[in-house]
Amino acid sequence: MQNPIDKTIMERRSITNFKLDPVDIDEIIELLDIAKWAPNHKVNEPWRFLLFAEAGKEKFVEAFLGAASKVNGAPSPAALNKAEYFRDIPLHLVVVISEDPRQKQRDEDLGAVASLLQNFQLAAWERGIGMIWRSNDWIYKPEFRDALGVQPGEKIVATMMIGYPQTVPQKRERTPIREKLTVITE
């Protein structure tokens, strides 16, 4: 028997086609306040967020274009097309964590922020807000990081593109867990 959270987990989809309708910033803050209850070791909350909305989205787009592939010193046609696509998405959330020098802590922090982002996606989905978690190669480029003020010792974990879904993709089947599970009883 499925309960409501089961249904939400199985029905949530990554959205790439958004309506132009604005998303309320206060609602995103409320959703992040819910998502922060993700498990995180010693409640160190290693994350911080940069939310690009309205005219502020242009800073995100310009940072992307600065890091995008170039043709004769200018952004490639593909990059310019992607920039136009980004301009039409209502919100861009950049998720940053501090990179602890201790491997164990880095792993725990990454797990914590991934849990937060899943909570965020599920809570938003329940309210009709869709998003996609992107970790494209340009988030690692100094031009992108510097343009957004990401400091040395910080890592961009995701750029979340957020809005109301124009279309929702069909689900793609998953491998049954029994095919991925080894049970050890002795």
Side-chain angles (χ1 to χ4, degrees), residues 120-135:
F120 179 54
Q121 291 178 93
L122 294 171
W125 191 258
E126 277 294 304
R127 297 182 187 198
I129 299 170
M131 60 188 74
I132 187 165
W133 175 341
R134 299 262 188 205
S135 53

Side-chain angles (χ1 to χ4, degrees), residues 72-119:
N72 297 324
S76 70
L80 293 171
N81 285 339
K82 186 167 276 200
E84 285 307 309
Y85 166 70
F86 288 164
R87 286 183 177 105
D88 287 340
I89 296 171
L91 298 172
H92 297 274
L93 180 71
V94 177
V95 183
V96 180
I97 62 171
S98 54
E99 287 195 294
D100 196 288
R102 300 164 295 175
Q103 182 68 49
K104 179 181 180 290
Q105 190 62 49
R106 272 198 318 273
D107 292 347
E108 288 174 352
D109 290 349
L110 190 57
V113 78
S115 297
L116 175 140
L117 289 172
Q118 179 68 349
N119 284 354

